Amino acid sequence: GQKVVLITGCSSGIGLRIAVLLAKDEKKRYHVIATMRDLKKKDKLVEAAGDAYGKTLMLLPLDVCSDESVKQCINSVKDRHIDILINNAGVGLLGPVESICMEDMKRVFETNFFGVVRMIKEVMPDMKKRRAGHIVVMSSVMGLQGVVFNDIYTASKFAMEGFCESMGVQLLKFNVHLSMIEPGPVHTEFETKMMEDVAKMEYPGADADTVRYFKDVYLPSSKDIFEAMGQTPEDIAKCTKKVIESRNPRFRNLTNSLYTPIVAMKYADETGGLSVNTFYNLLFNFGPLMHITMSILKCLTCSCLRRRTISPN
Ligand code: NAD
């Protein structure tokens, strides 16, 4: 029969694309429960789903930051039966740590880390009972490697990776699979929202040099990297579909081969010096010469630092 897939954060970006791709599956193998905080934002998804809406795709409200909302949502699913849970909802946060208030940092953890924990806690017991299920988590390359001025976002994804690494062992005993998807940059509202937040920033508590490194060195390089290396949300949706359709799903799934050297460096030098120094040089020495940075990364990708990724095709 049809597999019930519940996805969080479907009003935009990657979540929307996964919902549409699965709902439009030619063999109609999926019953998609696309969830979002605010159903008033459903139009883009409904339009993209076309005929599938009301057939293989239905909507439910769900805020991953609320115990109440998560409980209500899962209780309203028939028999609470979910075959595949896709934890996609997430928020970004960019800027010098000195100038970010604790409340904003906690909000990121509340969504990216505790949001995932809350969902898994609610759905996992039924999966364990049935000795079947697949939990997918949208992590990031930044769940594996820290990136300058993304300190808090990176920490939230690391926290989640640690949680999943621990959970995966126990779940295996119950025949429940756990997979993380680790995209590099993806062109979604995520990027736009962060840039809008940055434009409003006033940097209280940060010194002039730090602000300059952030605004004049980091931001332009980051924009170039997004443009040169970014994937589409459709790409990530295709990778995710591959992961859930795999008979033996992999635990970690990088989606962008251009980013694999970053991860390889970390494992190549356990002292951490190689990663820290390479990032330092990329930002402060090559940053302004982005085309050189790109060629270096592309070269590394062709060498022994290439690692297996999951490709959209
Ligand atoms: P997006 O902003 O388009 O989508 C995120 C979605 O999560 C939005 O629809 C938002 O409304 C929703 N959301 C936020 N807080 C929520 C909450 N409390 N409850 C329910 N939904 C909530 O961005 P995206 O790029 O599609 O991001 C999806 C996931 O992919 C995130 O977890 C993000 O960290 C991850 N990711 C994104 C990129 C990228 O470059 N865009 C790269 C790697 C990983």
Side-chain angles (χ1 to χ4, degrees):
Q2 262 185 343
K3 286 204 166 151
V4 179
V5 189
L6 188 135
I7 312 164
T8 66
C10 293
S11 61
S12 61
I14 298 170
L16 183 151
R17 282 299 144 199
I18 297 174
V20 169
L21 186 68
L22 296 183
K24 288 191 169 171
D25 178 63
E26 274 179 15
K27 297 177 204 145
K28 297 199 168 36
R29 288 172 293 178
Y30 303 104
H31 174 73
V32 179
I33 304 172
T35 71
M36 57 185 76
R37 246 182 316 190
D38 181 1
L39 284 183
K40 278 190 232 112
K41 290 197 179 148
K42 68 173 193 291
D43 293 355
K44 232 170 36 174
L45 172 63
V46 168
E47 193 188 319
D51 284 350
Y53 179 58
K55 293 189 182 110
T56 47
L57 183 133
M58 63 172 280
L59 304 178
L60 280 180
L62 185 150
D63 177 351
V64 300
C65 293
S66 151
D67 292 347
E68 189 63 40
S69 165
V70 168
K71 270 218 151 49
Q72 240 177 39
C73 177
I74 305 303
N75 283 338
S76 67
V77 173
K78 186 171 175 282
D79 302 327
R80 291 176 52 96
H81 185 120
I82 293 161
D83 294 297
I84 302 167
L85 167 66
I86 302 181
N87 295 284
N88 162 77
V91 290
L93 185 62
L94 207 54
V97 169
E98 310 90 297
S99 62
I100 302 172
C101 68
M102 294 306 293
E103 281 313 304
D104 287 351
M105 299 186 193
K106 287 180 183 168
R107 190 180 45 84
V108 173
F109 267 77
E110 194 53 57
T111 311
N112 296 3
F113 177 63
F114 289 111
V116 172
V117 174
R118 197 174 277 113
M119 289 303 299
I120 292 182
K121 200 165 166 276
E122 195 60 34
V123 172
M124 177 182 64
D126 297 274
M127 287 183 169
K128 282 165 89 172
K129 242 183 259 165
R130 292 196 306 267
R131 297 288 193 276
H134 194 170
I135 296 169
V136 177
V137 179
M138 203 48 71
S139 180
S140 165
V141 165
M142 290 195 215
L144 294 164
Q145 171 62 54
V147 173
V148 64
F149 292 125
N150 283 272
D151 316 74
I152 303 302
Y153 174 73
T154 298
S156 74
K157 292 292 189 190
F158 265 61
M160 203 191 61
E161 291 245 350
F163 175 81
C164 290
E165 240 177 49
S166 310
M167 283 300 317
V169 177
Q170 187 211 135
L171 287 177
L172 201 57
K173 194 73 189 151
F174 292 89
N175 194 37
V176 175
H177 294 284
L178 184 61
S179 303
M180 295 187 290
I181 318 279
E182 286 134 339
V186 186
H187 301 292
T188 64
E189 283 174 27
F190 194 81
E191 184 191 357
T192 333
K193 283 176 206 160
M194 276 204 299
M195 290 306 164
E196 279 168 15
D197 290 346
V198 164
K200 280 184 266 167
M201 268 183 106
E202 284 169 32
Y203 313 103
D207 62 274
D209 281 340
T210 305
V211 173
R212 189 161 49 81
Y213 295 142
F214 176 59
K215 283 173 71 175
D216 302 340
V217 182
Y218 171 76
L219 282 182
S221 320
S222 159
K223 264 194 146 159
D224 287 346
I225 286 184
F226 249 97
E227 249 155 58
M229 303 192 174
Q231 290 181 292
T232 66
E234 287 82 1
D235 286 340
I236 311 305
K238 284 180 195 160
C239 290
T240 306
K241 188 164 185 274
K242 259 191 180 174
V243 169
I244 66 174
E245 286 173 359
S246 157
R247 207 161 349 122
N248 218 337
R250 280 160 41 171
F251 180 59
R252 286 212 161 80
N253 298 275
L254 289 158
T255 67
N256 190 334
S257 63
L258 289 171
Y259 268 75
T260 60
I262 288 173
V263 180
M265 274 194 308
K266 184 165 186 165
Y267 295 119
D269 173 16
E270 69 281 7
T271 72
L274 180 62
S275 302
V276 173
N277 289 319
T278 306
F279 276 104
Y280 179 89
N281 284 321
L282 283 179
L283 185 70
F284 291 114
N285 296 334
F286 294 121
L289 300 163
M290 221 355 110
H291 56 283
I292 297 183
T293 309
M294 297 302 175
S295 339
I296 294 173
L297 281 172
K298 279 178 186 158
C299 273
L300 286 171
T301 310
C302 301
S303 75
C304 57
L305 292 181
R306 179 175 212 131
R307 287 294 187 275
R308 274 180 300 162
T309 56
I310 187 117
S311 88
N313 312 309

XYZ file of all heavy atoms in Angstrom, residues 39-98:
449
model
N -1.285 27.732 7.932
C -1.914 27.231 6.697
C -2.271 28.353 5.715
O -2.538 28.083 4.545
C -3.160 26.395 7.025
C -2.899 24.974 7.560
C -4.208 24.228 7.787
C -1.984 24.166 6.640
N -2.259 29.606 6.201
C -2.504 30.726 5.285
C -1.406 30.811 4.224
O -1.568 31.456 3.193
C -2.553 32.047 6.069
C -3.920 32.285 6.711
C -4.018 33.712 7.274
C -4.466 33.722 8.714
N -3.476 34.163 9.685
N -0.281 30.155 4.500
C 0.826 30.207 3.527
C 0.823 29.000 2.591
O 1.857 28.637 2.027
C 2.155 30.284 4.278
C 2.346 31.613 4.975
C 3.800 31.814 5.332
C 4.008 33.167 6.017
N 5.098 33.116 7.005
N -0.352 28.394 2.399
C -0.402 27.138 1.644
C -0.415 27.311 0.117
O -0.161 26.361 -0.617
C -1.637 26.333 2.061
C -2.957 26.962 1.645
C -4.085 25.996 1.944
C -5.386 26.324 1.325
N -6.162 27.436 1.707
N -0.714 28.543 -0.362
C -0.990 28.730 -1.793
C 0.108 28.224 -2.740
O -0.189 27.571 -3.734
C -1.286 30.204 -2.099
C -2.588 30.649 -1.446
O -3.263 29.772 -0.858
O -2.912 31.848 -1.521
N 1.349 28.542 -2.409
C 2.452 28.139 -3.290
C 2.528 26.608 -3.410
O 2.707 26.070 -4.499
C 3.784 28.682 -2.749
C 4.536 29.424 -3.807
C 5.750 30.210 -3.346
C 6.577 29.606 -2.242
N 7.815 30.317 -1.928
N 2.349 25.942 -2.282
C 2.400 24.475 -2.277
C 1.216 23.894 -3.055
O 1.383 23.004 -3.900
C 2.400 23.956 -0.836
C 2.247 22.442 -0.668
C 3.420 21.693 -1.287
C 2.125 22.077 0.816
N 0.021 24.423 -2.769
C -1.191 23.909 -3.420
C -1.083 24.069 -4.937
O -1.400 23.150 -5.700
C -2.445 24.634 -2.869
C -3.666 24.334 -3.722
C -2.676 24.231 -1.414
N -0.568 25.216 -5.352
C -0.432 25.459 -6.787
C 0.576 24.484 -7.412
O 0.313 23.886 -8.460
C 0.020 26.903 -7.013
C -0.108 27.337 -8.457
C 0.537 28.699 -8.688
O 0.370 29.582 -7.802
O 1.213 28.855 -9.718
N 1.715 24.312 -6.725
C 2.753 23.419 -7.258
C 2.289 21.958 -7.264
O 2.708 21.170 -8.112
C 4.036 23.556 -6.446
N 1.417 21.596 -6.337
C 0.954 20.200 -6.244
C -0.071 19.879 -7.327
O -0.236 18.720 -7.715
C 0.377 19.929 -4.865
N -0.774 20.890 -7.822
C -1.766 20.687 -8.890
C -2.789 19.627 -8.531
O -3.361 19.655 -7.440
N -2.957 18.659 -9.441
C -3.957 17.596 -9.278
C -3.750 16.742 -8.040
O -4.692 16.133 -7.529
C -3.898 16.642 -10.487
C -4.557 17.256 -11.697
O -5.211 18.318 -11.513
O -4.401 16.699 -12.796
N -2.501 16.670 -7.595
C -2.187 15.794 -6.453
C -2.838 16.289 -5.154
O -3.125 15.498 -4.249
C -0.672 15.707 -6.265
N -3.108 17.595 -5.089
C -3.693 18.176 -3.879
C -5.082 17.578 -3.610
O -5.938 17.543 -4.490
C -3.797 19.703 -4.019
C -4.415 20.373 -2.831
C -3.866 20.229 -1.552
C -5.549 21.165 -2.970
C -4.435 20.841 -0.457
C -6.127 21.791 -1.872
C -5.558 21.618 -0.613
O -6.124 22.230 0.475
N -5.263 17.065 -2.416
C -6.542 16.439 -2.063
C -6.562 14.956 -2.421
O -7.472 14.234 -2.032
N -5.581 14.496 -3.198
C -5.500 13.071 -3.547
C -4.324 12.439 -2.802
O -4.508 11.799 -1.778
C -5.355 12.892 -5.061
C -6.614 13.330 -5.817
C -6.550 12.939 -7.284
C -7.777 13.425 -8.027
N -7.433 14.536 -8.956
N -3.112 12.661 -3.329
C -1.944 12.086 -2.633
C -1.296 13.085 -1.687
O -0.331 12.767 -1.011
C -0.884 11.604 -3.656
O -0.704 12.655 -4.605
C -1.332 10.341 -4.351
N -1.834 14.314 -1.653
C -1.263 15.320 -0.758
C -2.337 16.006 0.077
O -3.349 16.456 -0.457
C -0.508 16.381 -1.572
C 0.214 17.464 -0.772
C 1.628 17.676 -1.286
C -0.528 18.785 -0.775
N -2.150 16.001 1.386
C -3.055 16.751 2.262
C -2.235 17.650 3.187
O -1.030 17.475 3.341
C -3.916 15.803 3.081
C -3.135 14.921 4.027
S -4.186 13.973 5.146
C -4.578 15.197 6.384
N -2.910 18.640 3.769
C -2.210 19.615 4.609
C -2.632 19.507 6.064
O -3.778 19.192 6.365
C -2.543 21.042 4.140
C -2.268 21.405 2.690
C -2.714 22.843 2.429
C -0.791 21.265 2.391
N -1.690 19.764 6.966
C -2.007 19.875 8.388
C -1.146 20.984 8.987
O 0.008 21.154 8.573
C -1.725 18.571 9.127
C -2.736 17.420 9.053
C -2.235 16.228 9.857
C -4.116 17.850 9.547
N -1.707 21.727 9.976
C -0.878 22.738 10.633
C 0.084 22.074 11.621
O -0.294 21.105 12.295
C -1.898 23.618 11.364
C -3.103 22.772 11.543
C -3.096 21.729 10.468
N 1.291 22.570 11.688
C 2.257 22.040 12.660
C 3.397 23.036 12.880
O 4.059 23.471 11.937
C 2.818 20.699 12.178
C 3.750 19.961 13.150
C 3.648 18.465 12.955
C 5.195 20.375 12.988
N 3.580 23.397 14.155
C 4.695 24.250 14.559
C 5.653 23.377 15.366
O 5.292 22.903 16.445
C 4.152 25.411 15.412
C 5.258 26.310 15.942
O 6.446 25.960 15.798
O 4.918 27.369 16.514
N 6.841 23.152 14.857
C 7.765 22.229 15.524
C 8.247 22.757 16.881
O 8.837 22.020 17.653
C 8.995 21.853 14.641
C 8.567 21.172 13.359
C 9.878 23.067 14.364
N 7.978 24.043 17.148
C 8.398 24.625 18.431
C 7.357 24.451 19.523
O 7.567 24.871 20.661
C 8.720 26.108 18.270
S 10.170 26.389 17.258
N 6.190 23.865 19.201
C 5.124 23.756 20.194
C 4.759 22.297 20.487
O 4.361 21.552 19.580
C 3.891 24.532 19.682
O 2.700 23.983 20.182
N 4.867 21.896 21.754
C 4.482 20.535 22.166
C 3.050 20.240 21.754
O 2.738 19.178 21.204
C 4.551 20.391 23.705
C 5.983 20.453 24.220
O 6.914 20.350 23.403
O 6.151 20.607 25.443
N 2.191 21.206 22.074
C 0.761 21.126 21.822
C 0.471 20.861 20.332
O -0.260 19.940 19.981
C 0.178 22.498 22.250
C -1.316 22.600 22.275
C -1.922 21.659 23.287
O -1.318 21.539 24.391
O -2.953 21.059 22.972
N 1.067 21.676 19.487
C 0.838 21.595 18.048
C 1.333 20.252 17.483
O 0.652 19.627 16.655
C 1.545 22.768 17.352
O 1.642 22.544 15.981
N 2.497 19.811 17.947
C 3.051 18.544 17.453
C 2.136 17.382 17.847
O 1.791 16.530 17.027
C 4.501 18.342 17.972
C 4.981 16.921 17.719
C 5.451 19.348 17.336
N 1.684 17.381 19.106
C 0.794 16.314 19.604
C -0.496 16.273 18.800
O -0.931 15.217 18.340
C 0.447 16.566 21.078
C 1.415 15.925 22.038
C 0.687 15.372 23.281
C 1.422 14.180 23.850
N 2.871 14.374 24.041
N -1.093 17.480 18.653
C -2.370 17.576 17.942
C -2.235 17.065 16.517
O -3.088 16.328 16.019
C -2.797 19.037 17.899
C -4.142 19.268 18.569
C -4.488 20.732 18.559
O -4.222 21.437 17.569
N -5.097 21.193 19.645
N -1.170 17.454 15.859
C -0.960 17.071 14.466
C -0.827 15.550 14.348
O -1.517 14.929 13.536
C 0.274 17.772 13.904
S 0.648 17.284 12.224
N 0.029 14.957 15.153
C 0.264 13.510 15.036
C -0.997 12.729 15.433
O -1.354 11.720 14.811
C 1.498 13.063 15.868
C 2.741 13.864 15.474
C 1.745 11.549 15.717
C 3.141 13.806 14.010
N -1.710 13.228 16.454
C -2.956 12.564 16.860
C -4.023 12.593 15.768
O -4.896 11.738 15.727
C -3.524 13.202 18.133
C -2.765 12.739 19.370
O -2.123 11.688 19.360
N -2.829 13.530 20.428
N -3.948 13.590 14.887
C -4.974 13.678 13.851
C -4.623 12.832 12.623
O -5.400 12.748 11.671
C -5.228 15.136 13.466
O -4.091 15.650 12.846
N -3.444 12.207 12.644
C -3.096 11.281 11.555
C -3.750 9.930 11.869
O -3.698 9.464 13.000
C -1.562 11.113 11.449
C -1.200 10.029 10.437
C -0.903 12.437 11.087
N -4.350 9.290 10.840
C -5.066 8.036 11.035
C -4.178 6.987 11.735
O -3.090 6.673 11.255
C -5.528 7.509 9.669
C -6.416 6.288 9.768
C -7.034 5.946 8.401
C -7.820 4.656 8.482
N -6.937 3.457 8.462
N -4.651 6.494 12.845
C -3.920 5.515 13.683
C -2.522 5.991 14.099
O -1.696 5.177 14.494
C -3.768 4.154 12.965
C -5.104 3.553 12.586
O -6.073 3.775 13.339
O -5.174 2.888 11.536
N -2.276 7.290 13.977
C -0.931 7.858 14.243
C 0.134 7.155 13.402
O 1.311 7.137 13.755
C -0.588 7.745 15.744
C -1.422 8.647 16.640
C -1.107 8.407 18.118
N 0.302 8.487 18.413
C 0.937 9.569 18.878
N 0.250 10.672 19.131
N 2.223 9.549 19.121
N -0.293 6.573 12.295
C 0.627 5.777 11.479
C 1.414 6.652 10.503
O 0.862 7.165 9.526
C -0.165 4.698 10.717
C 0.707 3.767 9.945
N 0.742 2.415 10.163
C 1.607 4.002 8.950
C 1.614 1.856 9.331
N 2.148 2.800 8.591
N 2.700 6.793 10.764
C 3.581 7.515 9.846
C 4.721 6.568 9.474
O 5.409 6.044 10.345
C 4.126 8.804 10.508
C 2.975 9.792 10.734
C 5.208 9.455 9.632
C 3.284 10.850 11.751
N 4.889 6.334 8.172
C 5.966 5.452 7.730
C 7.285 6.201 7.624
O 8.342 5.669 7.949
C 5.626 4.843 6.354
C 4.417 3.917 6.426
O 4.507 2.902 7.135
O 3.385 4.240 5.801
N 7.184 7.439 7.096
C 8.408 8.218 6.878
C 8.196 9.627 7.438
O 7.242 10.319 7.073
C 8.745 8.294 5.372
C 8.912 6.877 4.785
C 10.000 9.127 5.135
C 8.945 6.817 3.271
N 9.069 10.033 8.347
C 9.017 11.385 8.913
C 10.176 12.182 8.332
O 11.336 11.774 8.455
C 9.151 11.309 10.439
C 9.422 12.640 11.161
C 8.230 13.577 11.034
C 9.770 12.398 12.630
N 9.866 13.312 7.696
C 10.940 14.145 7.146
C 11.006 15.462 7.910
O 10.120 16.316 7.797
C 10.764 14.366 5.624
C 10.744 12.999 4.905
C 11.892 15.249 5.085
C 10.609 13.062 3.398
N 12.041 15.605 8.726
C 12.243 16.817 9.530
C 12.989 17.829 8.680
O 14.211 17.744 8.540
C 13.077 16.484 10.772
C 12.344 15.558 11.697
O 11.430 15.965 12.411
N 12.724 14.286 11.680
N 12.233 18.759 8.123
C 12.842 19.726 7.219
C 12.865 21.145 7.782
O 13.777 21.908 7.496
C 12.089 19.692 5.879
C 12.356 20.924 5.040
O 13.422 21.049 4.420
N 11.426 21.877 5.058
N 11.872 21.506 8.613
C 11.756 22.888 9.107
C 13.059 23.329 9.751
O 13.693 22.571 10.480
C 10.618 22.990 10.116
N 13.473 24.541 9.452
C 14.712 25.050 10.033
C 14.850 26.537 9.758
O 14.234 27.075 8.839
N 15.655 27.202 10.591
C 15.912 28.635 10.393
C 17.426 28.886 10.437
O 18.166 28.157 11.075
C 15.211 29.511 11.458
C 13.706 29.511 11.263
C 15.556 29.057 12.878
N 17.841 29.944 9.774
C 19.258 30.315 9.762
C 19.531 31.478 10.708
O 18.593 32.115 11.215
N 20.799 31.729 10.959
C 21.200 32.896 11.761
C 22.645 33.204 11.422
O 23.498 32.320 11.451
C 21.044 32.596 13.257
C 21.307 33.763 14.215
C 20.316 34.899 13.979
C 21.232 33.303 15.665
N 22.867 34.471 11.095
C 24.161 34.881 10.557
C 24.624 36.114 11.317
O 23.811 36.948 11.689
C 23.905 35.251 9.088
C 25.001 35.144 8.060
C 25.620 33.770 8.053
C 24.425 35.466 6.686
N 25.925 36.250 11.523
C 26.461 37.494 12.081
C 27.420 37.264 13.231
O 27.545 36.156 13.729
N 28.097 38.359 13.652
C 29.039 38.243 14.773
C 28.295 37.893 16.064
O 27.285 38.528 16.383
C 29.636 39.660 14.884
C 29.267 40.371 13.623
C 28.030 39.731 13.094
N 28.784 36.899 16.773
C 28.113 36.410 17.984
C 27.880 37.531 19.013
O 26.831 37.589 19.654
C 28.934 35.264 18.631
C 28.419 34.909 20.012
C 28.884 34.026 17.740
N 28.852 38.437 19.139
C 28.715 39.520 20.139
C 27.451 40.330 19.915
O 26.918 40.929 20.855
C 29.867 40.536 20.063
C 31.259 40.026 20.053
C 31.763 39.751 18.648
O 31.180 38.862 17.975
O 32.737 40.402 18.230
